[in-house]
Amino acid sequence: MAKPSGSICNINCSYCFYLEKEHLYPDRKSRWKMNGDTLENYVRKNIEGQQAHVVDFLWQGGEPTLLGIDFFREAIRLQQQYRGHKQINNLFQTNGINIDNDWARFLKEHQFLVGLSIDGDRVSNDAHRLTRTGKSTFDAVMQGVAALRRHKVEFNTLTVVNSENVKRPLDVYRFLKGIGSRHMQFIPLVERRAAQPDENGLILIQPTFSRDCSVTEWSVPARAYGRFLNAIFDAWIQHDIGNVFVMNFEQTLTKMTGQPSACVINEACGGNLIVESNGDVYSCDHFVYPEHKLGNINQHDLVAMVNSPQNIKFGQDKLDNISKDCLGCEVRPVCNGGCPKHRFEFSSDGQRNRNYFCDGYKTHLTHAMPRMQLLLSQMMRREPLKKVKKQIKEAFY
């Protein structure tokens, strides 16, 4: 995944964990854009390093539209130059504010899949996603949505579940359906704030931090997150399955079939590296700290960085440092202790490796898994979707 604008963004989300990464790059105010050499090295090495026939390019930020359309025209030119016989897909995560007719035409022409960051209706979205002067972003985002829909650009929505919108799960879900989202993901928010910045000037700290700190006020309570998912799950499985795709539920279903799923619920991680705007490569965008830097795309081989002892250890640590309380848990095969970034609570053996969202995962998964099991068994029999919905409703509702 590339962050060609680094942490530079045109809004100031109060909960954003990435804005403060500017402290790691003191020259960012004057040199924030990914330059041509870095872009070419990233495109070439990403394509050459992939053994699969399909290569995905994920563009995030900050806010990638700040680079302008010409930057991405050049990225596409380089992709075509180096692709060989491989298929190239482009995925683009944006807050939508700069999306106008020109952007929408470009994204449609080149088949970009757009991820739109939006936390729900005006009340939910404007709780934390404001301009740098503290004003609403909602109308601007909705204008971007209108442009995407007008030009028939495929988009999904990414919703950060926080202390505010967690109170209104069905309002959020219905709103997202109402704006045309048929692919959704709900990302739970928790950050810890240090009493004093660390030696790098960062105040939102990683799980190994043991000095004075506290969970931020915008973080979502764990059980509330589980109840949020359950409310949406019940509406989805009774009415919308087959028409609306919720990443959280799709990933759980995939894991229940014994297949690899998203890094958050896989046994190990380390396969989702990020490239910063200057070419620095880290094991994960949630671990952009100096100790997790693997190298630089301009000087080092990408495959070597992926397979380096440092990155392999990073991925294996998720499995090795799992909480004692997880080992006998009935939902561990599906959640696998969650994201290492969230493992900062004390386990029963006194180790600080229990996931903050543990109780939320249990609340959701113990509710959803029996229903999913029936769904999977009926899917294996190739039962008509209408009949599957009826059976689930009769069995559980």
Side-chain angles (χ1 to χ4, degrees), residues 174-358:
R174 290 166 186 149
F175 170 81
L176 296 175
K177 288 198 297 179
I179 66 171
S181 176
R182 291 298 177 266
H183 292 78
M184 308 174 186
Q185 48 184 314
F186 298 101
I187 308 299
L189 172 66
V190 62
E191 292 287 350
R192 292 188 305 160
R193 183 197 290 118
Q196 297 291 331
D198 69 9
E199 58 274 17
N200 300 303
L202 303 179
I203 200 165
L204 299 178
I205 40 82
Q206 56 182 314
T208 55
F209 187 90
S210 58
R211 299 196 296 275
D212 188 20
C213 62
S214 59
V215 172
T216 60
E217 64 275 11
W218 56 75
S219 298
V220 58
R223 286 194 179 90
Y225 173 62
R227 294 191 294 269
F228 176 94
L229 289 181
N230 285 348
I232 293 175
F233 177 84
D234 286 342
W236 170 79
I237 202 167
Q238 292 182 79
H239 307 293
D240 298 325
I241 188 169
N243 295 314
V244 176
F245 299 87
V246 180
M247 180 200 73
N248 310 68
F249 310 150
E250 304 289 339
Q251 290 174 350
T252 300
L253 284 165
T254 301
K255 200 65 183 169
M256 288 175 66
T257 65
Q259 302 300 312
S261 188
C263 62
V264 173
I265 60 174
N266 279 340
E267 290 83 352
C269 53
N272 290 316
L273 282 67
I274 73 115
V275 181
E276 255 283 352
S277 60
N278 73 336
D280 285 349
V281 177
Y282 295 84
S283 291
C284 173
D285 72 326
H286 286 280
F287 284 86
V288 175
Y289 300 95
E291 57 266 45
H292 295 293
K293 179 180 168 182
L294 300 173
N296 187 287
I297 200 73
N298 294 305
Q299 288 92 41
H300 302 99
D301 179 73
L302 180 58
V303 174
M305 286 187 281
V306 171
N307 295 309
S308 66
Q310 179 182 348
N311 192 52
I312 290 172
K313 182 180 185 302
F314 174 84
Q316 186 65 26
D317 279 348
K318 180 181 180 183
L319 181 61
D320 294 342
N321 191 36
I322 195 165
S323 165
K324 177 183 177 182
D325 301 333
C326 288
L327 299 179
C329 178
E330 67 272 23
V331 302
R332 182 202 170 184
V334 176
C335 82
N336 285 296
C339 179
K341 174 72 181 293
H342 303 151
R343 293 181 180 180
F344 55 79
E345 297 282 4
F346 285 107
S347 181
S348 60
D349 62 357
Q351 297 295 311
R352 193 186 282 274
N353 59 0
R354 184 176 185 267
N355 196 298
Y356 170 88
F357 288 111
C358 178

Side-chain angles (χ1 to χ4, degrees), residues 222-224 226 354-366:
R223 286 194 179 90
R354 184 176 185 267
N355 196 298
Y356 170 88
F357 288 111
C358 178
D359 292 339
Y361 290 147
K362 286 184 180 178
T363 297
H364 169 56
L365 292 172
T366 54

